Amino acid sequence: MQSRFRSDRRLTARMGITLFLLGLLYVAFVVALIFLLKSWVLVVVVAAGLLGAQYWFSDRVALFAMRGRVVEREEYPELHGVVDRLCAIADMPKPVVAVSEMDMPNAFATGRNPDHAVVCVTTGLLRRLEPDELEGVLAHELSHVAHKDVAVITVASFLGVIAGLIVRFAFYSQLFSDGRRDQNTAVVFAAVMGVSAAVYAISFLLIRALSRYRELAADRAAALLTGRPSALASALTKVSGDIARIPTKDLRTAQAFNAFYFTPALGREPGVARIFSTHPSLEQRLDQLGRISAELSEAAAPGGV
């Protein structure tokens, strides 16, 4: 089903290129591990198992990690009402609605496709936003589902996850070894660790580049669907400012899921940190929303196109 969210060919192209490059990297990674570990069965079974788990259970893992739970209409009627209205406007299936008992104001969408998606908001977000601001945030999250970039970012992040796990495994294996390994074994472990670290770094940069663009695409699609870019801009400003004031220790759990969040759980990110951010800067997002607002005003004016 094609939703009424504005399609974005550049986002589709970027998702395709990212998946293609990560696919090549994944094949090279598996071949390198098979060559180093001399066991293609072990490598293929473990890699396929983790990929399947990441694809099928990503929504459950995300909800569990962020202390989210599925809520029914009777418990959160206003939240369900906003999601119902947006899904009707966008002509898309309604996702599962969840709430996370966290003071951090944020929201995220996850799931393998529009028919198996979850949209989760924190109680901190519900408490801080006005109804029109909440609608803008939820429209942003629903656009991720409609554009299918949630599924793409889930699959894309898999390579970084498995590479990171292998790096940790190799490190702790060396750390807690009894020192009786021969030189060849040590060389193999060092090679595996080096290859995994390189793969993690490359996948990290590719995912960051895609993630920043998809956030701008979601802002744009949400603003055009609701017709109120100013409400989304207000929500962005409010949420970003409040997250910056939350103690870092309260954000550590959330940081692993920054690529899925409405705004990153890092507060303000000065200098070089922006290069590695999962999101564009607040200024970029507000500038884009300002341009969309001007375009909508011009189109609505007498004689506008």
Side-chain angles (χ1 to χ4, degrees):
M1 179 186 295
Q2 181 67 41
S3 77
R4 294 196 182 105
F5 275 106
R6 182 73 63 88
S7 62
D8 192 314
R9 293 182 179 178
R10 286 185 293 178
L11 174 62
T12 302
R14 285 170 184 252
M15 289 192 297
I17 292 171
T18 300
L19 285 178
F20 175 74
L21 292 175
L22 285 171
L24 291 179
L25 187 63
Y26 179 62
V27 171
F29 183 45
V30 170
V31 170
L33 289 182
I34 292 173
F35 175 77
L36 291 169
L37 300 178
K38 310 296 184 183
S39 176
W40 69 268
V41 175
L42 174 64
V43 173
V44 171
V45 169
V46 171
L50 288 175
L51 177 58
Q54 177 99 347
Y55 181 75
W56 287 96
F57 303 114
S58 60
D59 52 345
R60 300 179 193 180
V61 172
L63 284 180
F64 176 79
M66 297 312 302
R67 303 195 297 273
R69 62 184 179 86
V70 176
V71 296
E72 301 299 330
R73 183 183 303 277
E74 293 74 19
E75 190 174 1
Y76 284 89
E78 294 180 3
L79 175 60
H80 272 271
V82 175
V83 175
D84 284 336
R85 184 167 63 254
L86 288 171
C87 288
I89 296 172
D91 191 23
M92 63 180 290
K94 181 183 178 181
V96 172
V97 178
V99 170
S100 171
E101 301 289 337
M102 298 183 68
D103 185 55
M104 178 190 68
N106 227 322
F108 67 89
T110 184
R112 60 184 184 272
N113 57 50
D115 292 318
H116 300 86
V118 178
V119 171
C120 181
V121 299
T122 65
T123 52
L125 185 82
L126 293 174
R127 187 170 62 255
R128 288 172 171 87
L129 297 190
E130 299 298 324
D132 60 336
E133 295 171 337
L134 178 62
E135 181 182 68
V137 172
L138 289 172
H140 171 103
E141 296 304 328
L142 289 173
S143 75
H144 282 314
V145 176
H147 288 156
K148 299 181 176 63
D149 58 87
V150 166
V152 170
I153 207 73
T154 297
V155 174
S157 63
F158 160 74
L159 190 56
V161 170
I162 190 172
L165 288 174
I166 290 175
V167 168
R168 290 188 182 95
F169 174 77
F171 175 77
Y172 287 115
S173 294
Q174 287 291 99
L175 187 66
F176 296 109
S177 66
D178 57 11
R180 292 180 297 179
R181 287 179 177 156
D182 58 32
Q183 186 174 4
N184 288 338
T185 302
V187 170
V188 169
F189 266 85
V192 169
M193 199 166 181
V195 169
S196 300
V199 167
Y200 179 83
I202 295 171
S203 63
F204 178 91
L205 294 175
L206 287 173
I207 292 168
R208 272 10 181 220
L210 173 62
S211 183
R212 287 193 294 272
Y213 184 84
R214 84 185 189 107
E215 292 302 326
L216 290 173
D219 285 347
R220 183 164 52 250
L224 293 173
L225 183 78
T226 62
R228 289 186 290 196
S230 59
L232 182 56
S234 176
L236 268 169
T237 303
K238 187 180 294 186
V239 169
S240 298
D242 284 351
I243 287 180
R245 290 191 289 270
I246 291 178
T248 302
K249 64 182 179 64
D250 295 335
L251 301 178
R252 286 174 185 164
T253 301
Q255 287 174 5
F257 294 90
N258 271 340
F260 293 90
Y261 270 124
F262 173 61
T263 55
L266 295 171
R268 301 188 182 278
E269 298 179 0
V272 73
R274 290 184 178 178
I275 299 174
F276 304 106
S277 175
T278 54
H279 291 61
S281 68
L282 177 62
E283 291 76 15
Q284 283 180 283
R285 299 175 77 174
L286 294 180
D287 284 347
Q288 176 181 249
L289 291 171
R291 292 194 299 271
I292 293 173
S293 183
E295 292 169 5
L296 293 176
S297 297
E298 182 179 347
V305 179

